[in-house]
Structures are given as C-alpha cells and as structure tokens.
Amino acid sequence: MSECVPVTLKVTAIANILWREEGLGIGNMFYVFYEDGVKVIQPVACEIQRHIKPSEKLLGRQEEVCPRQEGEEQQKCVWSSAVNVKDKFIYATQPLLNRVLIVDIQSQKAVQTVATDAVPVKLHYDKSHDQVWVLSWGDLQKSSPTLQVIGQASASSSHHTVHTQPVGQHFDRVEDFFIPPASLLISHVRFGIIMHKQEPALHKIDLESTSYVKNISLWEHRCVPRALAYTHLGGYYFVSCQDDSTGARRPQLVLDSVTDSVIGTNGDVSGTPYVSPDGRHLVTVDDRDGLMRVQQVSWRGEIGQPFDIHTNLHLSDLAFLPSFTEGGQYNVFGSSGRQTDALVVELRSGRVKMIKSLKEPAAAEQWRWGRQNRVMVSSGLFGQYLMSPAQQSLFILDGRLDKLNCEITDVPRGNTVVWVGEP
C-alpha cells in the first residue's frame, strides 16, 4: 500500500496545477443537489470532492440533511431550487420539508435550516440587499402561495424569514416573481416584479423595504405575464405573455423600467426571454413552434430584428458563456427537455453547433417544480464549463471546445445545480 502513496500525491499535485492553469481554484465547484444528498464536483478532472449524505447531521446539531419521510423505504432528498450567497453559503429549498437548508461552502457542511411557509419552490439571491427571496406554494396544488425574505443572508448568524407586504391584501395569488440579476454591469438592483395568477398586471416592489410600490396594468394589451428578462441597455423589461383563450401566442411586451410604461410589442416575437450578461442579446425560446429567436440590443437601447434558429429540441433552459474566439461576445448553450442533444449558438454570427449523447432527461412530469426539467448551469461570468443533468447522471460540457467533457454516473434527478466560484 505504501507504494501507492507517492502516485496519489503526484496525481493530486497535477490536478492542482491543472486547476490553476485553467483558472479554476480549489473553490471552483458545481454543487449538485439530488436524491442521495449533495455532490461537490470539480469540473476540470470531473472529480467528486465531497458527498453530503441524506443522513449526515448538520454541524453541531441533531437535525439530518434529509430526514427520512414517513412510509419511505430509503432516505431520499427532494430539492427544487438553490442559490449561491456570496460564495459563503448555498441556500437550497426542501419543498416537502417546508424549509431551506443552508450549506457552508468553506467547510462543505450543512449548518442550518430555515423554516418557511409550506412547499418552498423557488429562491433568488438579491445581492444588492443581501436577501434571499422565497416563493412557496402553500401546498402541491399551489393553492396559497406566499413570498418571504431571508435578510442578512451572508451573515454567519441564525436566519429566519419575514413576509413581504401583501399586494391588495392578497398573499394567495403570487404566481412568480422576477428580480434582475446583479452582474458586473448592474451592481445595484432596486426594484423587483411580482406576477399574480391569471392577472394582466405586474406588481412593482421595493427590494430594500420589501414593500409594494405600484401596479403596472397590462390589461390594455391583454397580457397575463408568464416570464420576464431585463437589459440595462435602454432599461427594458421583456415580458412574455400567456397564450390567449384561443391558444394563440401573444407577442412579448417591451416595458420601460424608468417610466413603468409599455413601449409596445417586440414585433411578432413570443416566448420565454433570456438576456446575455452584457445586455447586448435577447434570446427568446418559443418552444411550441420550435424556435429560438436572437436579437441584438445596441448600446443606445435599439432592439434589432430577430434571426431565427429552428430546432426540435424542446429547449428547457439556457446559459451564457463568454466566447473564447471573439472578445466581448457570448455563446448560448441550450439544454433539451426531451432529447439527448444540447444546442450551442454563437450569438454574433448565428453559427449553430450540437453537443450530442447527453442521455435522456428526467420526464417533465417527474420535475413538478417548474418548466425546466433539465437545467443548464454555467461556471460563472468568466467560466469555461457548464453542467446539465440527465435522468440518472450529470454531464459537464467544455464551453471552450463546445464538446462533452465527461459524464458522472449514479446521480439521479440532479436538477438543482449551483456554481461556486473562487472568492
């Protein structure tokens, strides 16, 4: 056995050198939340650095990471959403336990749980105010949804939730919420948007006071909002509207975030909007028609004509990575909700590539927490890697080479993924 020790040390040393050369320090990992706990994965060599088991106890406590549920033969975890809080903590929802679990990144251990309203399903970290926003359904039928906020989220102290001010005294109509993500270009976000079930309006909230500011009516445009994206170029929200009563698609609305007024429709573009980190590209997925539509946004906020990419992949999620061939440009990677391929599009040129053999995703009905049954998560603003799960395994993609880097097997339903960068 002693003869193996130098070899192990040598391999570890090479791996450390590789991480440094690739710009990936020891803190650069994907955290994957799945049925058998949490796996911490280093993407260059595809190494599992840590496995937090469901039966593992929280640091200094008697609570388990995923307590066995009544009637369960095996101790399993159920997760729905997770967020990185300043590379210090990861907050992850446990919808069937009515709580959020906090993982300490330095020690790679679960350290605390925060009780929430019933069935918490979605988290967002508002970096500007160091707050984690929690959307809960109330039950699996979404009958009494609420919004709660966890303040001072990056502090090493005991955490708790507070409710947001109800809009029109109604907590039980919240369908979704949107807070523009902070980036290198958007350092402070002041307002967020709440969407209510079947209501043609957006409800603006002040993130600092977590209070209601105003109601933005979309009634004139017959638009029940379904999803939003934001670009700081021009200060526009792009609002995806639900189909009308006949099933016809409604075009996106363009909203001025300063005046809170609808400027008009985004031509005939309809579907779920995504905006690149530099704000220069709007990418819309119209899954029903098998279309991805890409539009440039100029520095002055002028929205260009779309170029269309036809695909039968039924795109589930998109992630952006900087281009490794053109400075200041981005590529977009799309995961398929039904098939085994991933899509890569160079946004400037419109060139399309495919990454094949990523195995079947979990069926849409197996992922009841949202539309994205197969996420695509990138390794940060300057990263090279992406992760996307299949039904029983994980795939790490190399965004520099636009190819599959590796598959990590025996990770069932790992559809909650967080990237942790180097502090």
Side-chain angles (χ1 to χ4, degrees):
M1 289 296 288
S2 60
E3 290 179 5
C4 295
V5 175
V7 177
T8 306
L9 290 173
K10 190 174 181 182
V11 170
T12 305
I14 290 169
N16 279 325
I17 291 165
L18 270 173
W19 295 342
R20 284 197 214 77
E21 285 184 351
E22 294 288 339
L24 288 169
I26 204 161
N28 288 285
M29 307 281 173
F30 285 108
Y31 280 64
V32 182
F33 295 76
Y34 74 114
E35 279 189 357
D36 195 30
V38 187
K39 275 195 172 151
V40 185
I41 297 166
Q42 186 273 102
V44 182
C46 299
E47 292 180 343
I48 298 167
Q49 298 290 314
R50 170 97 163 91
H51 182 191
I52 302 173
K53 298 283 285 182
S55 58
E56 188 172 309
K57 288 188 166 53
L58 274 60
L59 194 63
R61 301 170 189 248
Q62 287 305 303
E63 286 180 281
E64 291 183 324
V65 168
C66 302
R68 187 189 298 272
Q69 297 293 288
E70 194 174 332
E72 271 190 347
E73 287 184 22
Q74 289 180 296
Q75 195 165 349
K76 289 184 179 179
C77 299
V78 176
W79 315 92
S80 59
S81 178
V83 291
N84 178 342
V85 173
K86 288 189 179 176
D87 289 327
K88 289 180 69 178
F89 300 109
I90 295 174
Y91 283 58
T93 51
Q94 297 182 297
L96 302 185
L97 297 174
N98 305 332
R99 70 184 195 181
V100 168
L101 182 81
I102 302 176
V103 175
D104 177 77
I105 288 167
Q106 187 68 34
S107 66
Q108 294 184 338
K109 288 183 176 292
V111 293
Q112 191 190 340
T113 59
V114 182
T116 66
D117 289 340
V119 195
V121 293
K122 177 181 174 179
L123 299 178
H124 178 87
Y125 177 56
D126 171 21
K127 194 174 182 180
S128 304
H129 303 97
D130 196 24
Q131 297 174 153
V132 170
W133 287 69
V134 187
L135 171 65
S136 299
W137 284 350
D139 55 34
L140 293 174
Q141 288 71 46
K142 307 186 191 181
S143 64
S144 52
T146 58
L147 267 179
Q148 294 174 290
V149 180
I150 302 170
Q152 297 181 308
S154 67
S156 299
S157 57
S158 185
H159 295 91
H160 64 277
T161 60
V162 294
H163 281 103
T164 57
Q165 177 188 342
V167 179
Q169 304 306 311
H170 281 287
F171 271 133
D172 58 352
R173 288 160 53 191
V174 179
E175 181 74 11
D176 204 351
F177 69 97
F178 175 77
I179 297 172
S183 66
L184 292 176
L185 301 167
I186 308 171
S187 58
H188 187 82
V189 178
R190 187 177 171 194
F191 299 106
I193 300 289
I194 296 174
M195 291 161 269
H196 278 181
K197 192 172 185 179
Q198 297 303 321
E199 188 176 319
L202 299 171
H203 302 281
K204 193 172 183 178
I205 47 170
D206 185 306
L207 297 173
E208 190 150 332
S209 62
T210 69
S211 59
Y212 164 74
V213 176
K214 68 190 297 186
N215 173 57
I216 304 167
S217 175
L218 306 179
W219 174 257
E220 186 182 329
H221 303 274
R222 299 291 190 270
C223 173
V224 175
R226 181 174 170 268
L228 277 79
Y230 175 80
T231 177
H232 65 285
L233 300 176
Y236 300 136
Y237 287 107
F238 297 96
V239 185
S240 171
C241 307
Q242 289 182 18
D243 299 353
D244 67 17
S245 56
T246 67
R249 274 288 162 95
R250 292 197 179 279
Q252 287 174 357
L253 297 182
V254 183
L255 185 80
D256 186 317
S257 65
V258 177
T259 62
D260 297 325
S261 58
V262 176
I263 298 169
T265 60
N266 183 17
D268 65 347
V269 175
S270 62
T272 305
Y274 299 80
V275 170
S276 60
D278 60 358
R280 292 293 309 276
H281 289 92
L282 169 68
V283 181
T284 299
V285 174
D286 188 343
D287 188 45
R288 194 174 71 175
D289 294 335
L291 270 183
M292 176 191 278
R293 312 194 75 182
V294 180
Q295 294 169 273
Q296 286 201 8
V297 183
S298 75
W299 295 115
R300 293 186 297 178
E302 298 159 331
I303 304 164
Q305 290 297 310
F307 72 80
D308 295 352
I309 297 162
H310 294 266
T311 171
N312 64 352
L313 287 181
H314 298 281
L315 293 168
S316 170
D317 194 15
L318 300 186
F320 296 89
L321 272 190
S323 168
F324 291 94
T325 56
E326 287 192 79
Q329 296 299 318
Y330 280 87
N331 298 340
V332 65
F333 291 73
S335 61
S336 172
R338 299 187 196 174
Q339 297 183 38
T340 60
D341 299 339
L343 183 74
V344 188
V345 179
E346 294 178 358
L347 290 178
R348 186 183 180 109
S349 67
R351 188 178 170 204
V352 178
K353 304 176 189 175
M354 303 294 287
I355 302 176
K356 294 184 172 294
S357 305
L358 305 189
K359 291 189 177 174
E360 297 284 343
E365 56 270 17
Q366 291 178 311
W367 183 254
R368 52 179 154 177
W369 314 116
R371 293 188 295 268
Q372 296 166 328
N373 62 306
R374 185 180 214 160
V375 296
M376 179 71 78
V377 178
S378 73
S379 57
L381 282 175
F382 306 106
Q384 175 178 342
Y385 295 95
L386 304 103
M387 181 175 280
S388 194
Q391 191 154 17
Q392 298 291 327
S393 59
L394 301 167
F395 287 90
I396 296 176
L397 312 181
D398 186 327
R400 185 192 293 268
L401 302 174
D402 296 336
K403 71 179 187 67
L404 176 62
N405 189 40
C406 64
E407 177 186 8
I408 295 173
T409 57
D410 300 321
V411 188
R413 303 198 189 185
N415 201 41
T416 302
V417 180
V418 172
W419 170 254
V420 173
E422 190 79 341

